[in-house]
Amino acid sequence: MFSTLYTSVFPLVKEKYPAQVQFILRQQIQPWHPSSTLVHEAATAVLRLAPNKFYEFSNALFEHQKEYFDVNVVHESRNQTYKRLAKLAGTTGVEEDKVLDLLEVADKPGDDGSLNIGNKVTDDVKLMANRLTGVHVTPSILFNGIVENSISSSFTPQQWEEWLEKNVV
């Protein structure tokens, strides 16, 4: 679905509905896939460092998503996965070393002795969790803040155009 949105629907909306429609991509971590958190943390790091590159990086993540599926990360450390994600961010023009700096988890306790310190985007991710929107599956589309179940992940650009023409005033 993201590829269709990024390559077809976003340009259509920019052309036909620039003042009426705004897309907001809300990350939906899937905790049953442990690497999902790492991928979302990388997107959060990009959002913090280069907000104008967020959608481009998100597109790159979707194009390379299988590289971060469970079986492809099971034999590497968390920081090794972060290094690969930072490198992917670098392909979109975001400074790889700055992304990695936000993602890496230290191998020593925090200044106060805490051991579960997370990384420099942990608090951001906590705030971005979609606990209150009613989103339980991905992808989910909300229109005016309400889950729109008529839109499916297989929507074509033509279906999007028809839906927008019918629903955007």
Side-chain angles (χ1 to χ4, degrees), residues 4 23-24 41 55 69 71 73 76-77 80 100 102-103 105 126 130 135 137-138 151 153:
T4 299
F23 281 95
I24 300 170
E41 287 174 322
Y55 281 108
F69 284 1
V71 297
V73 299
E76 64 187 12
S77 73
Q80 287 172 320
L100 188 57
L102 291 176
L103 295 176
V105 176
K126 287 178 185 179
N130 292 315
V135 171
V137 297
T138 60
I151 299 174
S153 60

Side-chain angles (χ1 to χ4, degrees), residues 79 82 101 103-110 114-115 117-120:
N79 282 339
Y82 286 148
D101 180 62
L103 295 176
E104 278 189 314
V105 176
D107 60 356
K108 56 186 176 199
S114 58
L115 301 175
I117 57 175
N119 59 30
K120 294 176 184 169

Side-chain angles (χ1 to χ4, degrees), residues 6 42 45-61 64 84-100:
Y6 187 72
V46 168
L47 184 60
R48 186 192 285 184
L49 293 168
N52 61 321
K53 294 289 187 176
F54 178 72
Y55 281 108
E56 184 178 349
F57 179 66
S58 296
N59 190 55
L61 280 174
H64 295 270
R84 290 195 304 120
L85 288 162
K87 186 175 181 130
L88 183 62
T91 68
T92 66
V94 183
E95 293 183 57
E96 181 179 335
D97 59 330
K98 289 185 178 182
V99 172
L100 188 57

